[in-house]
Amino acid sequence: SYFLRHARSRNYVSESEVCKLESVPLDFGDYHPLKPITVTESKTKKMNRKGSTSSTSSSSSSSMMDPLSSVLDGTDPLSLFAAAADPVTSAPPTDGARRKRDKDESSAVGSDFEPWSSKRGEILARYTTTEKLSINLYMGSEKGKATTTGSAVSEKVRTRLEELDDLEEGSQKELLNLTQQDYMNRIEELNQSLKDAWSSDQKVKALKIVIQCSKLLSDTTVIQFYPSKFVLITDILDTFGKLVYERILSMCVDNRVSLPDNFSPESVNDTAKETCLNWFFKIASIRELIPRFYVEAAILKCNKFLSKTGISECLPRLTSMIRGIGDPLVAVYARAYLCRVGMEVAPQLKESLNKNFFDFLLTFKQIHGDTVQNQLVVQCVEIPLYLTLYSPAIDWILQCIAYHAPDVLLTEMMERCKKLVNNALLLNSVMSAFRAEFIAARSMDFIGMIKECDESGFPKHLLFRSLGLNLALADPPENDRLQILNEAWKVITKLKNPQDYINCAEVWVEYTCRHFTKREVNTVLADVIKHMTPDRAFEDAYPQLQSIIQKVITYINDFALLFSVEKFLPFLDMFQKESVRVEVCKCIMESFIKHQQESTKDPVILNALLHICKTMHDSVNALTLEDEKRMLAALINGFIKMVSFGRDFEQQLSFYVEARSMFCNLEPVLVQLIHSVNQLAMETRRVMKGNHSRKTAAFVRACVAFCFITIPSLSSIFTRLNLYLHTGQVALANQCLSQADAFFKAAVSLVPEVPKMISVDGKMRPSDAFLLEFLCNFFSTLLVVPDHPEQGVLFLVRGLLNVIQDYTWEDNSDDKVRIYTNVLHLLSAMTQEAFIYHVDKVDSNDTLYGGDSKFLAEINKLSETVVSQILDHLKTLGKEETLKRQSQLALYFFNTILAHGDLRNNRLNQLSVNLWNLAQKHGFADTKTMVKTLEYIKRRSKQPDMSHFTELALRLPLQSRT
C-alpha cells in the first residue's frame, strides 16, 4: 500500500508548461519540410562496366551522398530517362530504338484505328451454327522424303512440282458431319500443322495447307457460319504471311545487321529477292482464283523486297481479281481481307481501298439475284439474316476508308451510296464506320436517307439505332435536336416486337437525357413501360432496362429532379428479378453518394431512397457473401450520413428509429446508426451549451436509450464493448449519470465473454492485445466517472478488477500484469487533489470526496492488492525460459513507479532499485533502454524538488551483458 500512500503529488498545469516544446520564431526564407519539393535533373554518365559513374551534376548544393543512387550505380530509371531526354549527353540510339522510331514515323495508322483483332472475338461469338460442317484435310505425301543427299537439283525440283500437283489430284480427306467446335479444332490443327511444316523446312507442305484452307472460303454450304469461318481461315493466312516475310527478311541479314523497317529494295541481296520471286511464282501457278487471291494477299508485304512500287501495283490488280468471284458474300469478304492487308502494309494507298468499295457498290444488286435467292431457299435462310452476314465485312471496308478521311471524301461516298444503292444494310455500315461528328452534323440528311432507303430485309429501326449511337457520341445542330427525336421516336414507338423496341429505345434514352428536360425523359420512360409491361416482356430485357437507368442517373444528378420524374419509380418496378433489382438499386445509391453534395431532408428523396435501400437490405440472406454485405452496408451508410433535418432533432431521431427497424440485418448499418444518434446527442449539447432544459434532457436520454437497446443486437464483441464505452462517455457528457453507469456496468459484465481468438479480416487472431487496448481506454474514462451514492467507493473499478482477476489469460501472456500496471496509473491519478481532466458540468470524485482520508484509504487497499499481484507474477517468471519476460516486466513496473511514485519514501525507493536490478540480473535487459532511462533520471534530478533523484541515480548500476 506504500505505493499510493506515497504517490507523487502532481501539478498538472506546471508539468504541462515544462513539457511544452520550445517555440522558435520561424524564418520562412529557410528550408521547411512542408515546402514544395523542387526536383532537380541529375545528369549521369555511364562509364565502362567495371568503372564508376561520374559525379552527378545537380542544382542541389548538398554534398551528402544519396544512398539509393550509390546502390544503383547511376543506372536508376529516372536518371536514364533524363539522360535520354538531354540531346547533349544522350548516346546514339540502338538499332531497335531506331527501327521503332522509323516505324512510328512511317506508319499512318494510329491508336485511334480499331484493329481487326478487337472485332475477331465478337464475330466468332455472333455468327454460330448448329448445322453440321465439312472440311478437307491435306494428307501429306511421302514422296521425295527419302531422297539421298546426292540427289540432283532437278530431281528435287521435279519432286516439289509433283507434290504441288498432288493437291489437285485429291491427296485430301474429307471430314463430314463436324460440329462447330470440332470444325474450329480442325482449323486450329491445320494452323499448328502449318507451323510444324514450316519449322521442319517443309515449305511446300506449308503452302499446300494454306491453299487448302483458302479453298474453304469458297464454300458457303452453311452460310450463317461464313463470317466466323473467314476469321478462322484468315488467322492461318496471317500466320503464313508472317512466316514468309520473316524468312525472307532473315536472308537479308548482312554481318549480323538486320534491315531497318523502312528499307529500300536496293539493300536486299539477290538471294532474298530470288526466294521472294519464287514464292510469288509458286502462288501464280495456283489454278483456282480464290486460293490464288488469298495466298498472294497474305504475302503482299513481301513486295517490299522486290520494288518500291510493288505493293501499289499489286493492290489494284488484286482488287480487279475479286471481280471474278461470283458469290457476293465470298467477294465482299475477299474485299475486306484485301483492305485489312492493305491497311497493315500500305495505309497511305487509299485509292485502291476506295476503288474496292466502289466495285462493291456496282455489284451490290447481285444480292437480290436469282442465284443467291435460290441458295437461301435451299439453306432455309431468310433475307434479314443473310444481310447481317455482310455487316462485319462492309463495316471493316468502310472503317478503313473513313480513317482520317476528309469530310469531302465522306460526303462523296455518302452521295454514291445514296445514288447507286441506298440500301439499309449499306447505310447502317456507313453510320457504323464514319466519324460520329460527321454523322451528327448531317443527322437530318441521314434521317431522309433512312426514310427513302430500300429496307429489303434490313429493318429501319436498326438504322435509327445506329444513328442514335452516333448522337450519343456527338451533338447534332441545336435547331434540329427536337425534330430528330420526334422522327426517330415515331418509328421506334410503332415497333411491335419488344426486343426490337427496347434495343432502339435504350440508345435514344441517352440522346433524350443529354439534350432535353425531365418532361421529355418522363415521356420516353412512360413509353418504355407501356411497351415492356404486356406479357412481362421486361423479363427478357433486363440488360437494356439497366442500361436505361444508368443513362438517366448519369445525366440527371439532381435527385430531387430525378424523383420528380413521375415514371422513374414505376420504371424501377419492372425489375422483378431480385439480383437485377439489387444491382440497379446499387447503381442509384452509388450515384447519390457520388453527386449529392449537401445533406437533405426532402421527403420525396428520403422515401424513394429508403425504399431502394430497403430493397438492397432485404436481398441479404444466409448465402450472401461478406464482401457483398459490406458493400450494401457502405451504400446504406452513405445515405444515412446525408440525411439531416437541421435543428429538428426529434425528426432526425425518428428517422434513425425507422432506419433501425428497416436495416436490422446489416451490422455495419446498426453501428453507423448508433454513432449517428450519439452525434445527435452531442449536437444537442452543443446547441444548449451544456445547459439542458427539461425537454432536451429527456431527448438526450431518449438518444442514449436508443443506443442501449441497439448495442446488444450486434454480434462482434469488441464492437459492443467500444460502443458501450463510447455511448457511456456521451451520456456522461450530457449529465445522464445513471445511464452512463448502466453502459459502463454492461461493458464490465461483457469482458468475461471475450473469446481467446477473434476473427480479424478473415483470419483468427489472439484477442489479448485488443482487450488490453480497450481496458486502457476504459480506465481513462473511469477516472472522471463519479461514484454512485448507493454503491460502494470505486464500485466500477472494483467490478472491473474482479473481472480481470477471474478472466482466463494465456499462460505465455503478461497482459494481465500490464493491465494491473495501468490500473496503478489510474489509482495514482485518483489520489490527486484535482484530476488531470474533467467532464464539463459533471462533478468527479476529486470534488465529491475532496481528498477524504477514507476515500484515499480505499484507494490504498486497492493499490496494495494490485502491487502484490504484480510482484507475485514477477516471482513466477523466475524460470529460465521466462527470464526475458521477467526482465521486461520489471523495467515496465520500474517506469510506472518512476512516473507516478514519490521516491522520497525509502521503501518505494528500495523497491524501484530492486526492480532495476531484477531487470538486469540475468542479462536480458536492453542496454540502450537502461542507459536512456538512467540519463532521464539524471536530467530530472536537476529540476526543483527532484534532488532525491541524484541519490537514486547513484544506486542504479548498469551491468554489462557478460
Side-chain angles (χ1 to χ4, degrees):
S1 64
Y2 49 81
F3 174 79
L4 288 178
R5 193 174 298 136
H6 299 286
R8 185 161 65 87
S9 294
R10 310 286 290 272
N11 184 333
Y12 292 118
V13 175
S14 61
E15 281 186 39
S16 174
E17 287 298 322
V18 170
C19 293
K20 273 185 180 175
L21 290 172
E22 184 182 353
S23 60
V24 179
L26 179 65
D27 179 2
F28 286 100
D30 294 340
Y31 164 78
H32 188 276
L34 298 182
K35 270 187 178 178
I37 297 168
T38 306
V39 178
T40 58
E41 183 182 298
S42 81
K43 302 184 178 97
T44 307
K45 189 174 179 182
K46 192 80 193 294
M47 305 295 282
N48 61 24
R49 191 168 296 177
K50 290 185 181 176
S52 62
T53 57
S54 67
S55 61
T56 302
S57 67
S58 169
S59 59
S60 168
S61 60
S62 172
S63 61
M64 198 172 80
M65 189 175 177
D66 177 7
L68 297 180
S69 295
S70 63
V71 171
L72 287 163
D73 195 31
T75 59
D76 68 287
L78 296 180
S79 295
L80 291 178
F81 286 145
D86 191 330
V88 179
T89 58
S90 61
T94 61
D95 284 351
R98 188 191 291 113
R99 280 205 301 274
K100 187 174 189 311
R101 189 179 64 222
D102 291 340
K103 183 176 181 180
D104 289 344
E105 287 170 0
S106 66
S107 175
V109 177
S111 58
D112 55 338
F113 183 79
E114 188 183 0
W116 175 259
S117 55
S118 66
K119 299 176 181 293
R120 187 181 175 282
E122 184 188 336
I123 295 171
L124 288 173
R126 182 177 172 190
Y127 298 98
T128 58
T129 183
T130 53
E131 304 262 332
K132 296 300 181 184
L133 302 155
S134 63
I135 189 171
N136 290 324
L137 277 182
Y138 165 65
M139 307 300 289
S141 169
E142 296 301 316
K143 292 181 192 174
K145 287 189 182 174
T147 54
T148 62
T149 52
S151 296
V153 175
S154 59
E155 183 65 29
K156 187 176 180 183
V157 172
R158 190 184 308 118
T159 305
R160 287 196 169 183
L161 288 171
E162 285 174 4
E163 282 188 344
L164 203 53
D165 285 340
D166 272 352
L167 187 66
E168 313 296 338
E169 293 162 10
S171 60
Q172 308 167 56
K173 176 184 175 186
E174 188 172 17
L175 297 178
L176 303 170
N177 297 325
L178 298 176
T179 63
Q180 180 182 320
Q181 190 56 50
D182 291 339
Y183 188 90
M184 292 169 78
N185 293 342
R186 295 292 181 188
I187 295 289
E188 184 52 42
E189 284 173 22
L190 282 172
N191 202 356
Q192 191 56 47
S193 300
L194 167 66
K195 293 175 186 173
D196 294 343
W198 192 271
S199 60
S200 59
D201 207 29
Q202 294 179 327
K203 304 295 188 291
V204 172
K205 180 180 177 182
L207 179 58
K208 283 181 152 190
I209 291 170
V210 175
I211 293 169
Q212 177 194 345
C213 290
S214 304
K215 278 187 164 188
L216 295 173
L217 289 173
S218 61
D219 173 25
T220 55
T221 47
V222 183
I223 204 162
Q224 63 267 40
F225 183 63
Y226 192 85
S228 291
K229 185 201 286 189
F230 172 78
V231 168
L232 297 169
I233 301 296
T234 51
D235 283 351
I236 296 177
L237 287 163
D238 292 343
T239 302
F240 176 71
K242 188 179 176 187
L243 290 171
V244 173
Y245 183 82
E246 288 176 354
R247 162 81 174 141
I248 299 171
L249 190 65
S250 69
M251 298 171 78
C252 301
V253 176
D254 188 25
N255 296 327
R256 296 190 177 179
V257 177
S258 57
L259 291 175
D261 268 13
N262 59 343
F263 64 86
S264 64
E266 290 77 26
S267 57
V268 178
N269 59 46
D270 291 344
T271 311
K273 283 185 176 179
E274 188 181 339
T275 305
C276 186
L277 275 170
N278 188 26
W279 276 110
F280 280 111
F281 291 153
K282 279 180 185 174
I283 291 164
S285 68
I286 300 171
R287 280 177 277 190
E288 293 186 31
L289 172 62
I290 289 175
R292 187 166 73 248
F293 164 80
Y294 272 108
V295 180
E296 184 174 353
I299 66 163
L300 181 67
K301 191 177 182 181
C302 295
N303 278 286
K304 288 171 67 177
F305 296 109
L306 301 176
S307 73
K308 285 183 178 178
T309 57
I311 292 174
S312 60
E313 289 167 2
C314 276
L315 274 173
R317 181 172 54 79
L318 289 170
T319 303
S320 300
M321 279 173 69
I322 299 172
R323 294 174 183 172
I325 300 174
D327 189 313
L329 184 65
V330 177
V332 79
Y333 275 94
R335 295 183 194 285
Y337 187 65
L338 189 59
C339 286
R340 187 168 128 199
V341 175
M343 285 299 282
E344 284 176 16
V345 300
Q348 70 280 6
L349 300 175
K350 283 287 184 71
E351 298 81 12
S352 296
L353 300 182
N354 297 345
K355 181 187 174 190
N356 201 350
F357 181 66
F358 293 142
D359 273 6
F360 166 69
L361 290 182
L362 291 168
T363 58
F364 191 81
K365 56 181 178 290
Q366 284 182 305
I367 291 176
H368 304 292
D370 292 343
T371 311
V372 172
Q373 298 300 325
N374 293 339
Q375 187 184 15
L376 297 185
V377 170
V378 170
Q379 295 200 35
C380 302
V381 174
E382 299 289 330
I383 265 284
L385 174 61
Y386 176 67
L387 287 175
T388 61
L389 303 178
Y390 284 80
S391 293
I394 301 174
D395 289 354
W396 177 257
I397 294 169
L398 284 167
Q399 181 187 322
C400 295
I401 292 171
Y403 182 65
H404 287 182
D407 281 5
V408 178
L409 176 64
L410 299 181
T411 308
E412 182 196 342
M413 299 204 59
M414 197 173 108
E415 289 302 321
R416 283 220 194 182
C417 291
K418 185 176 177 181
K419 184 178 174 183
L420 291 171
V421 182
N422 199 19
N423 177 274
L425 169 70
L426 192 58
L427 192 54
N428 190 61
S429 292
V430 166
M431 288 192 287
S432 300
F434 284 16
R435 288 192 301 276
E437 294 79 10
F438 178 87
I439 304 291
R442 297 161 181 77
S443 297
M444 290 310 298
D445 293 342
F446 275 97
I447 286 176
M449 288 172 69
I450 291 169
K451 283 180 175 178
E452 295 166 15
C453 77
D454 168 25
E455 284 190 76
S456 65
F458 197 92
K460 284 186 180 177
H461 68 82
L462 292 180
L463 298 176
F464 276 106
R465 185 177 190 278
S466 296
L467 180 61
L469 288 169
N470 280 287
L471 296 180
L473 300 171
D475 297 336
E478 196 166 342
N479 296 336
D480 296 341
R481 288 175 186 174
L482 185 58
Q483 190 181 351
I484 291 168
L485 180 61
N486 288 334
E487 292 288 352
W489 209 262
K490 268 186 219 168
V491 175
I492 295 168
T493 196
K494 288 177 185 171
L495 294 172
K496 301 291 183 212
N497 183 316
Q499 205 61 40
D500 291 343
Y501 171 83
I502 197 64
N503 285 336
C504 289
E506 173 205 353
V507 171
W508 283 88
V509 161
E510 183 165 3
Y511 175 77
T512 312
C513 293
R514 267 169 79 108
H515 301 299
F516 298 99
T517 63
K518 73 168 190 176
R519 188 172 71 89
E520 287 81 5
V521 173
N522 192 55
T523 305
V524 169
L525 293 183
D527 197 57
V528 174
I529 294 169
K530 177 182 159 190
H531 277 79
M532 301 308 292
T533 307
D535 302 324
R536 297 177 69 84
F538 53 76
E539 290 182 343
D540 299 320
Y542 284 138
Q544 293 92 331
L545 294 172
Q546 272 181 274
S547 174
I548 289 173
I549 286 288
Q550 189 68 56
K551 286 165 182 170
V552 170
I553 61 178
T554 299
Y555 287 97
I556 305 180
N557 298 327
D558 180 351
F559 276 73
L561 180 64
L562 178 67
F563 291 124
S564 67
V565 174
E566 190 185 334
K567 294 296 178 180
F568 183 75
L569 290 176
F571 191 93
L572 289 184
D573 290 338
M574 285 197 290
F575 295 99
Q576 304 217 341
K577 185 179 178 184
E578 187 182 61
S579 59
V580 182
R581 192 181 182 87
V582 170
E583 282 303 314
V584 170
C585 291
K586 279 157 67 174
C587 282
I588 295 170
M589 291 312 300
E590 282 166 5
S591 178
F592 175 78
I593 291 165
K594 182 179 176 182
H595 295 112
Q596 187 72 21
Q597 299 297 322
E598 298 174 357
S599 53
T600 181
K601 60 178 181 178
D602 186 324
V604 175
I605 295 179
L606 295 191
N607 288 332
L609 291 183
L610 274 173
H611 170 69
I612 288 167
C613 289
K614 177 70 172 161
T615 301
M616 295 195 303
H617 168 271
D618 291 349
S619 70
V620 174
N621 55 42
L623 300 176
T624 307
L625 297 173
E626 286 302 316
D627 278 352
E628 177 72 5
K629 286 183 187 175
R630 250 196 304 275
M631 184 189 290
L632 295 176
L635 292 172
I636 295 171
N637 285 344
F639 163 59
I640 288 170
K641 289 175 189 173
M642 292 304 295
V643 176
S644 171
F645 289 89
R647 285 291 185 90
D648 191 347
F649 293 161
E650 289 183 351
Q651 183 68 34
Q652 189 84 30
L653 182 59
S654 298
F655 169 77
Y656 292 143
V657 171
E658 184 184 359
R660 180 179 63 185
S661 66
M662 293 175 82
F663 309 128
C664 55
N665 289 335
L666 287 171
E667 193 160 301
V669 179
L670 294 179
V671 172
Q672 177 60 45
L673 287 169
I674 292 167
H675 284 308
S676 296
V677 170
N678 280 332
Q679 195 175 353
L680 188 61
M682 293 307 288
E683 183 65 15
T684 308
R685 176 181 182 273
R686 188 187 66 78
V687 169
M688 299 302 292
K689 297 179 180 169
N691 300 309
H692 282 300
S693 64
R694 183 178 294 179
K695 184 180 179 181
T696 59
F699 175 75
V700 167
R701 284 196 294 273
C703 290
V704 170
F706 173 98
C707 298
F708 193 75
I709 60 174
T710 309
I711 293 172
S713 63
L714 305 175
S715 60
S716 167
I717 193 158
F718 278 103
T719 303
R720 274 185 281 159
L721 282 170
N722 286 314
L723 285 173
Y724 274 135
L725 177 58
H726 183 216
T727 315
Q729 291 165 346
V730 170
L732 199 60
N734 284 283
Q735 300 122 52
C736 303
L737 300 184
S738 58
Q739 284 83 355
D741 278 352
F743 280 103
F744 297 140
K745 282 179 187 174
V748 169
S749 63
L750 195 58
V751 170
E753 295 177 27
V754 174
K756 295 286 171 288
M757 305 290 285
I758 57 168
S759 176
V760 179
D761 295 331
K763 295 180 180 178
M764 297 308 289
R765 297 267 189 264
S767 62
D768 293 1
F770 297 96
L771 185 57
L772 178 62
E773 182 188 2
F774 167 75
L775 289 172
C776 289
N777 288 338
F778 201 177
F779 295 146
S780 301
T781 304
L782 289 179
L783 173 65
V784 291
V785 177
D787 279 348
H788 195 287
E790 295 175 9
Q791 307 280 352
V793 175
L794 303 178
F795 74 103
L796 282 172
V797 178
R798 288 175 186 280
L800 190 52
L801 283 173
N802 290 336
V803 165
I804 295 166
Q805 177 65 28
D806 295 339
Y807 188 79
T808 310
W809 300 88
E810 294 288 337
D811 293 338
N812 60 348
S813 168
D814 297 319
D815 286 333
K816 184 176 181 179
V817 173
R818 292 183 188 280
I819 290 167
Y820 280 149
T821 311
N822 280 296
V823 171
L824 289 179
H825 301 169
L826 168 65
L827 295 175
S828 169
M830 283 182 163
T831 61
Q832 306 302 319
E833 284 184 22
F835 291 172
I836 187 170
Y837 48 81
H838 294 86
V839 176
D840 190 32
K841 296 185 173 55
V842 174
D843 291 332
S844 297
N845 285 339
D846 56 341
T847 307
L848 294 180
Y849 291 109
D852 183 75
S853 57
K854 288 182 181 178
F855 172 64
L856 295 176
E858 287 295 330
I859 293 177
N860 282 329
K861 280 183 190 175
L862 274 179
S863 70
E864 185 177 352
T865 308
V866 171
V867 170
S868 64
Q869 289 277 354
I870 295 171
L871 294 175
D872 288 348
H873 186 79
L874 282 171
K875 285 177 189 172
T876 64
L877 298 177
K879 298 172 188 172
E880 190 174 344
E881 64 272 14
T882 55
L883 290 175
K884 186 173 182 179
R885 284 166 55 199
Q886 186 188 55
S887 168
Q888 290 170 341
L889 280 182
L891 187 60
Y892 187 62
F893 190 24
F894 171 84
N895 284 327
T896 295
I897 294 174
L898 197 62
H900 299 281
D902 184 354
L903 289 169
R904 283 174 292 202
N905 176 267
N906 289 335
R907 290 184 66 190
L908 201 54
N909 199 305
Q910 186 57 49
L911 175 61
S912 65
V913 172
N914 292 345
L915 288 168
W916 177 268
N917 292 331
L918 181 61
Q920 299 184 98
K921 187 174 181 182
H922 300 286
F924 286 105
D926 181 355
T927 310
K928 283 185 181 177
T929 306
M930 304 296 276
V931 168
K932 286 182 178 177
T933 306
L934 198 53
E935 286 173 358
Y936 166 76
I937 293 169
K938 288 174 182 175
R939 274 202 311 276
R940 287 287 301 276
S941 67
K942 294 173 185 175
Q943 293 176 5
D945 301 327
M946 288 292 177
S947 56
H948 56 283
F949 269 45
T950 307
E951 183 193 344
L952 175 65
L954 296 173
R955 297 181 64 196
L956 301 178
L958 278 174
Q959 295 176 8
S960 65
R961 283 179 175 272
T962 54

